[in-house]
Amino acid sequence: MPRLIFFCGHAGTGKTTLAKRALPLLHQRSGESFCLLDKDTLYGGYSSAVMGVLTGDPNDRDSPLYLQHLRAPEYAGLLGTARENLALGVNCIVVGPLSREVRAHQLADRVWLGVGADVSVHIVWVHLQEAEARRRIQARGNPNDAWKLAHWDDYRTRLFMPEAKQYPELLLYDNTQAPDAAFEALLEQLEQG
């Protein structure tokens, strides 16, 4: 049974770092290989080229123009690539904010995802307190974050924290000062088929 594991959450929460930390351990413990599909790796260069032509700002990933015209095709390609790998029996770890999709419970909808009952799906929502996320975004110095930081009051209106009761499909992971025990507990949940 192939596994589809999502690491989702807002910017600066440590999704990619957490996924890269988990992947080799999941491989070691299960003996199975995992394909890492990070939205920024797959589409970052493409989006830079397109936004550079359209707006003159190759680092724009948050303006209304980007959100209206590039976000959906990027996610469609990301999920399409995951589906192709899963159909070949390859486990996938998908990294991306996917906040709209999480909010709408779409990642728990196998029909929407386009995966059958033979695929094990886990959705990790990585979160931090807003002030810590902003501090980490500033510290990492990624030019793609410039719009967020310059328009924080607008950006923050898109932030949300799912409540466990309303989102039972999520594995909520507080990455503020995540102790080793919390990470181990997460790994144990991800190991389950």
Side-chain angles (χ1 to χ4, degrees), residues 46-126:
Y46 173 79
S47 295
S48 288
V50 172
M51 292 308 289
V53 168
L54 292 178
T55 68
D57 181 1
N59 299 310
D60 177 358
R61 297 296 181 285
D62 291 286
S63 70
L65 181 69
Y66 171 85
L67 295 173
Q68 288 173 352
H69 299 289
L70 291 181
R71 184 189 185 281
E74 286 183 3
Y75 281 125
L78 180 66
L79 295 174
T81 303
R83 280 191 295 275
E84 283 186 352
N85 280 279
L86 293 164
L88 296 169
V90 178
N91 298 310
C92 294
I93 293 181
V94 175
V95 181
L98 290 152
S99 54
R100 288 183 197 172
E101 293 75 11
V102 166
R103 192 181 296 229
H105 300 274
Q106 289 175 311
L107 299 185
D109 181 344
R110 290 179 178 278
V111 173
W112 185 87
L113 276 177
V115 300
D118 63 323
V119 175
S120 169
V121 179
H122 291 285
I123 310 158
V124 180
W125 180 263
V126 186

Side-chain angles (χ1 to χ4, degrees), residues 3 5 7 18-29 93 122 124 171 173 180-193:
R3 304 174 198 217
I5 301 172
F7 282 85
L18 191 62
K20 287 181 177 180
R21 181 179 174 198
L23 189 149
L25 295 171
L26 291 170
H27 169 71
Q28 178 184 33
R29 294 176 182 197
I93 293 181
H122 291 285
V124 180
L171 300 172
Y173 190 81
D180 289 341
F183 181 68
E184 181 59 34
L186 176 65
L187 284 178
E188 289 174 7
Q189 290 175 297
L190 296 177
E191 289 173 335
Q192 299 173 9

